[in-house]
Amino acid sequence: VTDKERYEKLLVGPIERFDQRSDMFRRARYDPEWIERTGAFYDPFQVRVREKAGYGHEEYALSDAAWYVEGVCGRGCRGSDLEGLYAWEHPHTESAHASSDLKIDASDPATVSRKVKRAARLYGASLVGICELDWRWLYSHVSDDTSGEHRPLEIPEEFRHAIVMAIEMDYALIQTSPTGGAAAATGLGYSKMAFVAGLVAQFIRNLGYQAIPCGNDTALSIPLAVEAGLGELGRNGLLITEKYGPRIRICKVFTDLPLVPDGPRFFGVEEFCRKCLKCAEDCPSRAISFGEKTTEALNISTNPGVLKWPVNGEQCFKYWVANRLDCATCIRVCPFNQEEGRLHDLVRLGVKHVPQLDPLYLWFDALLGYGKQLDSATIWVD
Ligand code: B12
Ligand code: SF4
Ligand code: SF4
C-alpha cells in the first residue's frame, strides 16, 4: 500500500466543506450560550494578569507583543476582508527585471517548485511542501469573527496548487504550557506565518502569477499539510511532523503557478499514537480521545467523514477561557516534540522502521522526563 492509498482510506466520507462559522472561535462570538461562557476571554478590559507564576504582567506583555505583526499586518485569524500581508491581491513590487505583465517560463514545473520552496525557506518557513488544492478542505463559507459577516467562499478554479508551510515554534517556550511563555511561542508563530505567507505570495506575483496567502483563514490547514507531505495527523488532532513533531504552525499560499505536488508521507505516527496516550492523559480539559478513531462528529465544531481521533473543541476552548490564555499542552507532552539531536534522530528512525519498539521509546520518554512542564521563570533566562 502506498502512502497515498493509505491516506485516501482515511477519507471515508461523505465529506462536506466545513462552514467556518461552526469553529469554536466564531461560535464564541455569536452563539448566546457561548458568548455568556467565553465573553470574558475577548473582553479587552478583563484583567488577565494575576499573582501566579507564568501569568504576570511581563508574561502577558511578551505574549501580546509576539502577536503584533499578525495583529497589525496580517489578521489571518479573521474570516473575511483579509488585509495587509494576507490580502488576496497586491501591487507588484517591480524591479528592473520584473514587470507586472511578464510571466516567467514555467514550462518546467519541477524547477519552478524547487525555486518556490527555496524562496519559502529563505523567508522563514521551517518546512515546505506542495499539494493539489483539494476543494473539500476549503471553507464553504467564511465568517468574520469581529463583524459577524458570513458569506460563501469562492476561489477561481485556476488556483490548482497549495504551497503549505510549517513554522517551528520555540521549544523552551512551549514547554511552559499552559502559561504565558507558551502563549508567546504561539503568538510569534502567527506573526511569522503572516510574514512568510505574505512574502511567498508576493514572490509568486512578481513571477507574473496569482497567489492567495492564507493563515487560519480560507481552508483547513492540516489536511493540506498532510497532502503536501509535511506530516501525519496524531491523536492530539494536530499535524505531527517528523522533525519538530506537532510544535509548528501552518500557513499556506494558493496559486495558479504550475507546480509538482509532493504527496502524503507516513512515518509511524498512527502506530505510535495507538500505544501512547500522553496527550489524552495530560489534556487539562479531557478534550482528546482515549478511544478508537471514528468518522463521527462530536458536535457542530467537528467535520465528520474523515477517520481520526476526534478532539472536543468545546472542551478545549472552555479551558482557554478558564486559563485566560491559550494552551499548548498537547504539543508540550507529545514524544514527537523533541529538540534536534542525534539521539532523537535515531529514535525518529526507529519509530519509522522498527515500530515494535514503540513501548521502549515511550518508556525512555517518561524516564527522561520529556514533556514535563518547565518552570515559567526559565523563559527569562538567556
Ligand atoms: C478553530 C481552531 C481551533 C479551535 C477549535 C477547533 C474546532 N473544532 O472548532 C480550538 C480552540 C480548539 C483550537 C485549539 C488548538 N489549536 Co487550533 N485551529 C483552529 C483553526 C483556526 C480552524 C480549524 C477548524 O476549522 N476546525 C473545525 C473542524 C474542521 O475541526 P475537526 O473536525 O475537529 O478537525 C480538526 C482535525 O481533525 C483536522 N482535520 C480536519 N479535517 C481533516 C481532514 C484530514 C484528511 C486530516 C488529515 C485532518 C483534518 O483539522 C481540524 C483542526 O481543528 C485551525 C487553522 C485552520 N484553518 O485549519 C487551527 C489549528 C488547527 N490549531 C492549531 C493549534 C496549534 C492549536 C492548539 C495547540 C493551540 C495553540 N496553542 O496553538 C490547540 C490544540 C487543540 C487540539 N488538540 O486540536 C494549529 C495546528 C498546528 C499543527 N501542528 O497541526 C492550526 C493549524 C493553526 C495554525 N496556525 O497553525 N484550535
Ligand atoms: S490545547 Fe490544551 S486544552 Fe486544548 S486539547 Fe490541547 S491540551 Fe487539551
Ligand atoms: S502525545 Fe502520544 S498519542 Fe498524543 S499525539 Fe503525541 S504520540 Fe500521539
Side-chain angles (χ1 to χ4, degrees), residues 31 33 68 78 87 108 115 146 165 206 213 222 236 239 335 381:
D31 177 336
E33 190 192 327
Y68 195 49
R78 281 179 74 165
D108 174 9
K115 289 185 178 166
T146 29
M165 293 157 290
N206 289 347
I222 298 178
N236 58 6
L239 178 81
V381 181

Side-chain angles (χ1 to χ4, degrees), residues 170-217:
D170 186 87
Y171 179 81
L173 289 181
I174 286 289
Q175 297 318 96
T176 68
S177 173
T179 68
T186 295
L188 194 55
Y190 274 102
S191 284
K192 288 182 180 175
M193 280 164 55
F195 181 87
V196 173
L199 269 59
V200 169
Q202 195 66 359
F203 170 63
I204 292 171
R205 293 172 189 135
N206 289 347
L207 299 178
Y209 285 83
Q210 301 178 78
I212 298 178
C214 316
N216 280 358
D217 55 278

Side-chain angles (χ1 to χ4, degrees), residues 7 11 18 22-25 137 139 169 186 190 193 215-217 219-223 226 233 236-239 246 248-250 252 288 301-303 306 308 311 313 316-317 320 326-328 330-331:
Y7 169 70
L11 313 181
F18 188 73
S22 298
D23 87 17
M24 279 317 302
F25 297 122
W137 314 131
Y139 287 124
M169 291 188 282
T186 295
Y190 274 102
M193 280 164 55
N216 280 358
D217 55 278
L220 296 174
S221 299
I222 298 178
V226 172
L233 184 69
N236 58 6
L238 300 173
L239 178 81
I248 48 100
R249 306 218 76 85
I250 307 166
K252 60 260 183 191
I288 299 174
S301 290
T302 335
N303 207 21
V306 177
K308 60 190 184 187
V311 173
C316 174
F317 198 59
W320 291 22
D326 58 48
C327 166
C330 46
I331 298 180

